[in-house]
Amino acid sequence: MAVEHVPMSTLAQGAAYICIGWSAFILCVQIIGIYKLWRHHSAPLPQPVSTTLRDDEIPHITVIRPVKGVDVGLYECLASTFRQSYPKSKLTIHLCVASTNDPAYPLLHQLVSDFPGVDAKVFVEEDDPLLHGSSGHVNNLGPNPKIRNMSRAYREAKGDVIWIVDSNVWVAKRAAARMVDKLFGFRPNGVRKTPYKFVHQLPLVVDMETLKGSSSSSGSSGEAQSLLSPNTSGPYVGSNADTELGKGGQLEQMFMGTGHAKFYSAINTVGVAPCIVGKSNMFRKSHLDRFTDPSQNPILSASDASRGHGIDFFSSYICEDHLIGDLIWKSEMPGFRKHGLVCGEIAIQPMSGMSVAAYIARRVRWLRVRKWTVLTATLVEPGVESFLCCLYFSFAVTTLPWFHAKFGISQTWSAMAVAWLSAVTTWMLVDRVVTSKLHKCQSVEVDDDTPAFARGTSRPGGAQQRPFLPWLAAWIGREALALPIWIWAVLLGATVSWRGKQFKVRMDMSVVAVPGAAEGSEPQPPAPGPSSPGPKSSKNRVD
């Protein structure tokens, strides 16, 4: 009842103060993110230190790459870890697949054959003795298909350093060495800084449509002509699918190259909370094994002892990348810093043929699995997007008397509309500059083995910068879909489709398989406008 006696102008001004405070906060976050991106993505990175150390000082890395089906550019993405300029005696690669019937299985053996000097092995989940052996059982692990895929590769890792890289990600030749430098604190001239418990890379999506018409240095026949061929460095020749088919790839590239990149960089710079994406993450096996043991980690309960150790601990949870990072962040390890972003190193994901509906499904999955893991961040997420944040700003500057007295801004609806449009335009122009900078890939060292999608827009044979008007259409589409996707994901459902299976995300962040659900049967929100179904993929996933 007391609210009824408060003048509306007082309520409006109170809301306006909150809005201007939030707008200023988001502006500061974006300035930090843009500064870090500009600083570290404008030139090639310094040479790594770890590869110059004595042999007995160089840490051994086990690279784990979980694979399901054949993505565009899969051979080049997987081969990028075989081509690391890291001592071969200190590098082991474990390629993981669920079944020998997976269409990627022959390619994995081809890779091992093509790089005989690398210690590499193919692991098949259906041969894992923990799950299918005489003393094993299929329920020894939870339903998370990615953890089940990687479990044996993790258990049989050589050395202490684990580097988990998604199959659809390409990494530069010195990525391993630079990540080790960050993880161990190696600096030039024998200097050692405080090591980290966990390090990772900035993810970036390249829509393969931007490669149409570009010529590569090798003059090969094109990536799209043979996804299974090692000769994939040439121009992307596209497909005969309807033009609507690739619109989702443009939206995904826009999201990862603008808002996500700015906030990802800023949050990891400030370091107030864990902020990671499971594309390319490195940590120590000894740390994770200790952190997942209740007898050694006081933040766990005694009931957690039944969940296994290492990555097996997370097999009942679908958001394993975030949860691994979150547990490492919260667990105490004297003498170590928490998380470190390897600035300038990009985990590049080529993408082709994603429909708008597939893009929406991907974003819905991200939000639903994050809803209970980072609830506060999920609830405020709409306010970090341009349309709504600029609405807060325009309401504040046309409501608070100070702006009227200082700048003569009218307190009218038309003035609010002009302020909103001006703020959105400024936001858009900044995003144009940021995404153009990132997609130049100036921090990526290029050689004859660099595929076209990783060469950037600033080099011959790389992607072409999207003209402004098509770029603007993708930007508006991405921003306009942000709030409807959030409403659909956070308020209107709890099921996700992941790696061809249906799961229900529970409030304790665990998942349970949906009985009787057909693969890929998760209800989808209607896409804006007509849309053609995508080409049949060898896997039904949106990660």
Side-chain angles (χ1 to χ4, degrees), residues 245-266:
L245 180 61
K247 299 297 184 183
Q250 297 177 28
L251 298 176
E252 182 69 10
Q253 175 175 294
M254 187 64 64
F255 170 69
M256 298 299 289
T258 54
H260 184 273
K262 291 182 295 184
F263 284 97
Y264 195 84
S265 180

Side-chain angles (χ1 to χ4, degrees), residues 67-75 102-107 167-168 226-228 536-539 541:
V67 180
K68 180 175 174 62
V70 179
D71 287 301
V72 64
L74 179 62
Y75 185 97
D102 190 293
Y105 181 70
L107 182 144
S167 62
N168 56 7
S226 178
L227 298 180
L228 298 179
K536 292 184 178 180
S537 173
S538 56
K539 62 184 171 188
R541 75 183 196 192

Side-chain angles (χ1 to χ4, degrees), residues 42 85 145 384 396 411:
S42 296
S85 58
V384 308
Q411 297 178 326

Side-chain angles (χ1 to χ4, degrees), residues 214-220 233-235 446-452 455 459-462:
S214 62
S215 59
S216 74
S217 60
S218 64
S220 60
S233 58
V446 171
D447 59 22
D448 291 341
D449 293 324
T450 307
R455 292 178 175 271
R459 300 185 181 96

Side-chain angles (χ1 to χ4, degrees), residues 328-518:
I328 291 177
W329 176 280
K330 294 177 179 177
S331 302
E332 290 297 325
M333 181 63 70
F336 289 85
R337 301 179 69 179
K338 295 182 182 294
H339 287 187
L341 177 64
V342 184
C343 298
E345 278 290 349
I346 312 174
I348 300 178
Q349 178 185 351
M351 184 170 290
S352 177
M354 173 182 273
S355 66
V356 173
Y359 165 78
I360 294 174
R362 178 185 177 92
R363 294 291 302 130
V364 166
R365 184 181 70 85
W366 272 25
L367 286 165
R368 285 182 179 171
V369 298
R370 289 176 58 240
K371 181 164 58 176
W372 303 119
T373 55
V374 282
L375 179 60
T376 302
T378 303
L379 292 178
V380 302
E381 183 167 316
V384 308
E385 304 289 0
S386 62
F387 287 2
L388 190 55
C389 188
C390 290
L391 186 65
Y392 295 159
F393 171 79
S394 60
F395 170 74
V397 299
T398 55
T399 300
L400 296 174
W402 184 84
F403 288 96
H404 177 69
K406 190 74 173 178
F407 302 104
I409 299 177
S410 301
Q411 297 178 326
T412 62
W413 290 110
S414 59
M416 181 175 170
V418 171
W420 178 84
L421 185 60
S422 300
V424 169
T425 301
T426 302
W427 191 307
M428 177 271 296
L429 293 174
V430 170
D431 276 355
R432 173 66 171 178
V433 173
V434 170
T435 189
S436 297
K437 166 61 72 173
L438 281 177
H439 281 275
K440 287 181 179 179
C441 296
Q442 291 172 303
S443 63
V444 176
E445 298 169 278
V446 171
D447 59 22
D448 291 341
D449 293 324
T450 307
F453 60 78
R455 292 178 175 271
T457 60
S458 62
R459 300 185 181 96
Q464 297 177 342
Q465 180 170 326
R466 196 178 298 276
F468 178 72
L469 289 181
W471 182 93
L472 177 61
W475 187 88
I476 293 174
R478 210 295 294 181
E479 300 296 327
L481 283 172
L483 184 58
I485 287 174
W486 183 89
I487 293 172
W488 174 268
V490 176
L491 305 180
L492 302 178
T495 61
V496 296
S497 177
W498 190 53
R499 288 186 169 239
K501 297 181 180 180
Q502 295 293 305
F503 299 94
K504 182 177 181 180
V505 184
R506 299 186 289 198
M507 291 183 66
D508 65 352
M509 298 178 293
S510 64
V511 295
V512 58
V514 178

Side-chain angles (χ1 to χ4, degrees), residues 1 119 161 205 208 295 309 341 357 394 405 418 422 443 456-457:
M1 296 295 295
D119 178 17
V161 178
V205 168
M208 299 293 275
S295 66
H309 293 164
L341 177 64
S394 60
V418 171
S422 300
S443 63
T457 60

